[in-house]
Amino acid sequence: MHRDRSQTKGWGDVKKPPGCETACKAVLSVSSDHEDRASLEGIVRSDWTVIPSATVASALSVLREAPIPIVICDD
């Protein structure tokens, strides 16, 4: 399956939410714990997109690609 690298670069397997190049209604979750992500998705429900990132390095890569207004880290 071919992926458009402009939409996945730095985002792992997660596609950027539409319109995320200028303003993004997303939360970046920096945690290696999958339960953290699931809990956060339950809190924000369908109002926000939760972008998972297991490491700080991958989170920085995501932030270079799009302005995500909220970052939540486990440590």
Side-chain angles (χ1 to χ4, degrees), residues 46-61:
S46 63
D47 295 336
W48 290 71
T49 301
V50 176
I51 306 296
S53 179
T55 66
V56 172
S58 63
L60 290 172
S61 180

Side-chain angles (χ1 to χ4, degrees), residues 18-25 67:
C20 207
E21 290 75 21
T22 56
C24 191
K25 196 171 178 185

Side-chain angles (χ1 to χ4, degrees), residues 29-56:
S29 173
V30 186
S31 175
S32 59
D33 187 341
H34 298 290
E35 290 180 23
D36 287 351
R37 176 185 174 192
S39 295
L40 185 56
E41 287 175 338
I43 292 167
V44 300
R45 304 189 193 251
S46 63
D47 295 336
W48 290 71
T49 301
V50 176
I51 306 296
S53 179
T55 66
V56 172

